[in-house]
Amino acid sequence: MPTPLAYEEIKECFRRWQEADPAPKSELNYVNPYTLVVAVALSAQATDAGVNKATRALFEEVQTPQAMLELGEAGLIEHIKTIGLFRNKAKNVIALSRILVEEHDGEVPASRAALVALPGVGRKTANVVLNVAFGFPAQAVDTHIFRVSNRTGLAMGKDVLAVERAIEDRVPVQYQQHAHHWLILHGRYICVARKPRCPDCLIRDICTFEEKIL
């Protein structure tokens, strides 16, 4: 079990990540808050690259909930059929688009409660939208962030909500806005699940992971 990092150690980790990548961005392609909601909803159990490939033509044609309703479920399926669980995801996208039109004047609400009420939108998706589209320091914890936070001792927790709270509590406020992206990119490309690339890690001298690959 890694030892929890001290505040100054956490601050130094994020200082280094910020220095290396001052303004990290989502790897999902989107045009506006609505297409971001759709892209994140489609990304469940799928890669960002796969979603981007499927939505490239879709987002040229569809950029609003009303346009999605006009495209229809069958039309949407034709665009996203290369993505896992595409039929269920298509149903959810059409349903959430209808709710946005009927209850929110076609606009994506900047509220976690309103977002998670949409079909196919869970807390993680809502936090991504709040962070990326609206600039809120929301922490969306996926498998990469859960692994990195626990493995390094940065923000430990038994479940994703506990890790989300730990990040909010332990990460210095000046790094909260981009914390989600720095952590997910670190987990996706450096602190990978099976063979972490410890020699390439910016924080390997701080990280308390006992099975480092030197």
Side-chain angles (χ1 to χ4, degrees):
M1 178 70 67
T3 303
L5 298 183
Y7 174 79
E8 289 301 326
E9 291 175 317
I10 294 171
K11 187 176 181 180
E12 176 61 15
C13 288
F14 282 96
R15 186 199 67 77
R16 295 180 188 182
W17 284 326
Q18 182 184 59
E19 184 178 54
D21 187 2
K25 304 292 185 183
S26 172
E27 293 190 320
L28 282 172
N29 293 333
Y30 64 97
V31 178
N32 54 28
Y34 171 69
T35 55
L36 178 64
V37 171
V38 173
V40 180
L42 293 177
S43 71
Q45 300 181 47
T47 65
D48 287 1
V51 172
N52 288 341
K53 184 176 181 180
T55 59
R56 188 173 296 116
L58 173 65
F59 291 161
E60 289 180 359
E61 180 179 351
V62 173
Q63 298 181 8
T64 67
Q66 184 60 49
M68 186 68 76
L69 293 178
E70 292 169 3
L71 176 66
E73 188 174 323
L76 176 57
I77 285 174
E78 282 303 305
H79 282 283
I80 67 170
K81 59 187 178 183
T82 57
I83 301 174
L85 307 175
F86 66 90
R87 293 188 187 280
N88 189 55
K89 290 177 180 179
K91 290 181 185 297
N92 284 336
V93 168
I94 294 298
L96 73 83
S97 299
R98 183 169 291 109
I99 291 172
L100 290 176
V101 169
E102 294 177 353
E103 299 182 15
H104 299 284
D105 297 321
E107 299 294 327
V108 174
S111 156
R112 183 185 287 116
L115 286 167
V116 298
L118 299 173
V121 176
R123 186 179 182 90
K124 183 186 76 173
T125 297
N127 282 349
V128 170
V129 174
L130 290 173
N131 181 280
V132 176
F134 298 111
F136 295 166
Q139 306 303 329
V141 178
D142 69 350
T143 55
H144 296 299
I145 294 177
F146 185 79
R147 179 179 65 254
V148 169
S149 297
N150 277 291
R151 180 186 273 176
T152 61
L154 193 151
M156 300 167 70
K158 293 183 178 180
D159 54 43
V160 293
L161 185 57
V163 168
E164 178 185 327
R165 297 300 189 214
I167 293 171
E168 291 174 345
D169 290 343
R170 291 167 58 79
V171 174
V173 67
Q174 66 263 40
Y175 300 119
Q176 287 277 340
Q177 177 61 45
H178 294 309
H180 160 74
H181 286 116
W182 285 317
L183 288 169
I184 197 171
L185 293 171
H186 189 67
R188 187 172 286 168
Y189 298 111
I190 302 296
C191 197
V192 296
R194 294 186 179 181
K195 293 183 178 180
R197 296 173 52 199
C198 298
D200 300 321
C201 177
L202 290 176
I203 65 166
R204 67 174 180 170
D205 59 315
I206 300 174
C207 170
T208 59
F209 182 46
E210 295 176 354
E211 301 174 39
K212 288 180 187 176
I213 301 173
L214 303 177

